[in-house]
Amino acid sequence: MARKNKRNNGEVIEFTANLEENLIEIQNELIYRKYKTGRYREFYVNDPKTRLVAALPFKDRVVHHALCAVIEPIFERAFIYDSYACRNGKGTHAAADRTTYFVRKLQHLYPQIYCLKCDIKQYFPSVNHNILKKIIRKKIACKSTLWLIDEIIDSVADDKNINSKGMPIGNLTSQLYANIYLNELDHFVKEKLQIKHYVRYMDDFIILCHDKTILWSIKRDIEVFLRHYLDLELNGKTGIFPISQGIDFCGYRIWPTHRKIRKSSIKRMKRKLKAFQRKFKAGKISLEKINATIQSWLGHVKHGDSYNLRKKVLESFILTNEK
């Protein structure tokens, strides 16, 4: 799994050329607890906003895949149904569909529906290592497994003190740890607050209700829980509004009757297409790579009311390699 879609990568080719020897080396390092996380390679991505991504050598990615294959099923059983990030059978489209289902359901019961839309301030950089380790230890008892988990968590710490924070966005384990961390919030919302109409995608989540006063109370309860138990806080974009404005969630703006694509997604794709035209003309990008990006975007926008949009965006997109 670690080399999926990366078989032509030089690092992957080098590792697989001596596959058996490399795997035995990893096995011995894990058995004798000699494994140390490699050096992170940092770079920025701008899709949709600028983020610092930290990538590990391929050897470390193999270790992360092996670890997740063992521990993810254990935590998966504890995840609530309406957590949609980085899980098989879930994703942004399923989260948007569930939101639409809740909106339509409540619309039949009440004349006005409101949405509390939240996301966590600087989520990945804010995850408290000590709290994360305590949460993981509720499910994992194997000392060797915990040693490896701690090694990966601490690999981004400046020192090994109790106040270390942050997870690199590029790690496969970070995606799992992020769900494990906020699973505490999920169960608080569902079990303590008894909220039925709640959907979370990573650190973005929504709650629907017919009463604004109730939602403001829920918001305060969530803020207290996040601060006291997870050392997190909501960001300034958190707010409550009627669903008639549309719910901006998971790349769509959602109403009971229809779903539109975010304007930022449309603008971003238009910029990419213009860049593709320049790069293709200069021979700096392949047709295959362009097609892969376009198909990925079409796969996203087809889940909204986007026929005319797709036609308008792509009708003027013409590639030429004439100098």
Side-chain angles (χ1 to χ4, degrees):
M1 288 296 292
R3 63 181 178 181
K4 185 178 181 181
N5 299 324
K6 298 182 178 70
R7 293 178 183 272
N8 295 323
N9 179 283
E11 193 179 8
V12 177
I13 293 172
E14 183 179 350
F15 186 91
T16 53
N18 296 293
L19 183 60
E20 186 174 357
E21 292 177 17
N22 288 325
L23 292 178
I24 291 173
E25 180 184 7
I26 290 173
Q27 182 184 47
N28 288 333
E29 288 180 358
L30 294 176
I31 290 172
Y32 298 107
R33 299 191 184 183
K34 300 292 186 181
Y35 170 77
K36 291 292 181 183
T37 302
R39 184 184 296 272
Y40 284 92
R41 177 174 60 87
E42 295 185 339
F43 56 94
Y44 288 93
V45 296
N46 299 290
D47 191 14
K49 56 186 176 182
T50 302
R51 297 180 187 272
L52 178 63
V53 175
L56 282 170
F58 183 70
K59 171 187 173 180
D60 298 280
R61 299 202 295 272
V62 172
V63 173
H64 286 213
H65 274 272
L67 176 63
C68 288
V70 173
I71 69 172
E72 187 168 8
I74 297 171
F75 288 101
E76 176 66 30
R77 292 192 289 269
F79 292 159
I80 67 167
Y81 180 86
D82 286 314
S83 166
Y84 286 88
C86 307
R87 297 174 65 193
N88 289 332
K90 301 291 185 174
T92 55
H93 304 144
D97 289 343
R98 185 67 163 171
T99 301
T100 299
Y101 167 76
F102 281 155
V103 166
R104 290 175 177 174
K105 174 185 173 184
L106 288 171
Q107 191 183 44
H108 288 299
L109 299 175
Y110 304 100
Q112 179 67 286
I113 309 299
Y114 298 91
C115 176
L116 166 61
K117 185 177 184 298
C118 308
D119 64 81
I120 309 296
K121 181 180 179 181
Q122 291 290 304
Y123 179 48
F124 275 79
S126 300
V127 170
N128 185 299
H129 290 186
N130 190 51
I131 295 173
L132 175 59
K133 291 174 184 178
K134 287 181 179 178
I135 293 170
I136 289 172
R137 279 161 170 76
K138 294 178 183 179
K139 294 288 184 182
I140 305 294
C142 172
K143 291 182 179 180
S144 294
T145 305
L146 289 172
W147 163 79
L148 177 58
I149 290 170
D150 289 351
E151 160 61 31
I152 294 171
I153 292 173
D154 291 335
S155 68
V156 293
D158 293 330
D159 48 44
K160 310 296 184 186
N161 65 54
I162 195 170
N163 297 313
S164 293
K165 290 186 177 183
M167 299 188 302
I169 292 177
N171 280 0
L172 178 67
T173 49
S174 294
Q175 298 174 10
L176 176 58
Y177 294 160
N179 269 339
I180 291 170
Y181 205 76
L182 283 185
N183 186 53
E184 301 293 304
L185 171 66
D186 294 341
H187 284 278
F188 172 75
V189 169
K190 299 295 288 184
E191 295 161 14
K192 183 69 175 180
L193 300 184
Q194 297 284 297
I195 304 300
K196 293 182 179 179
H197 306 107
Y198 166 82
V199 181
R200 180 173 68 82
Y201 186 90
M202 196 51 75
D203 60 319
D204 291 345
F205 57 95
I206 62 154
I207 295 172
L208 300 169
C209 183
H210 66 285
D211 191 326
K212 280 194 296 186
T213 305
I214 294 174
L215 286 179
W216 283 115
S217 177
I218 290 170
K219 178 179 178 289
R220 288 191 292 270
D221 289 339
I222 288 175
E223 286 174 325
V224 171
F225 177 84
L226 288 173
R227 184 167 58 251
H228 287 179
Y229 291 94
L230 296 179
D231 194 19
L232 298 173
E233 58 181 299
L234 299 177
N235 72 19
K237 294 185 291 184
T238 295
I240 296 170
F241 52 89
I243 63 167
S244 58
Q245 293 181 11
I247 302 170
D248 191 352
F249 189 52
C250 287
Y252 304 97
R253 200 161 190 88
I254 302 168
W255 286 267
T257 54
H258 63 290
R259 185 186 306 171
K260 291 185 177 181
I261 312 304
R262 273 181 181 163
K263 289 183 179 179
S264 59
S265 173
I266 300 169
K267 290 180 180 178
R268 195 161 56 249
M269 189 58 187
K270 287 180 177 179
R271 287 197 299 269
K272 283 184 179 180
L273 292 178
K274 287 182 180 179
F276 286 161
Q277 287 175 318
R278 293 194 302 271
K279 290 180 180 179
F280 187 77
K281 188 174 183 178
K284 295 181 179 180
I285 192 171
S286 69
L287 191 59
E288 290 75 16
K289 188 168 184 179
I290 293 173
N291 184 59
T293 300
I294 292 175
Q295 293 305 320
S296 176
W297 185 74
L298 290 175
H300 171 68
V301 300
K302 74 178 183 181
H303 289 269
D305 298 278
S306 63
Y307 174 79
N308 289 330
L309 167 66
R310 284 176 275 163
K311 186 177 179 181
K312 183 177 179 181
V313 170
L314 294 176
E315 65 183 359
S316 60
F317 180 61
I318 300 173
L319 292 173
T320 175
N321 56 9
E322 294 179 4
K323 304 295 183 181

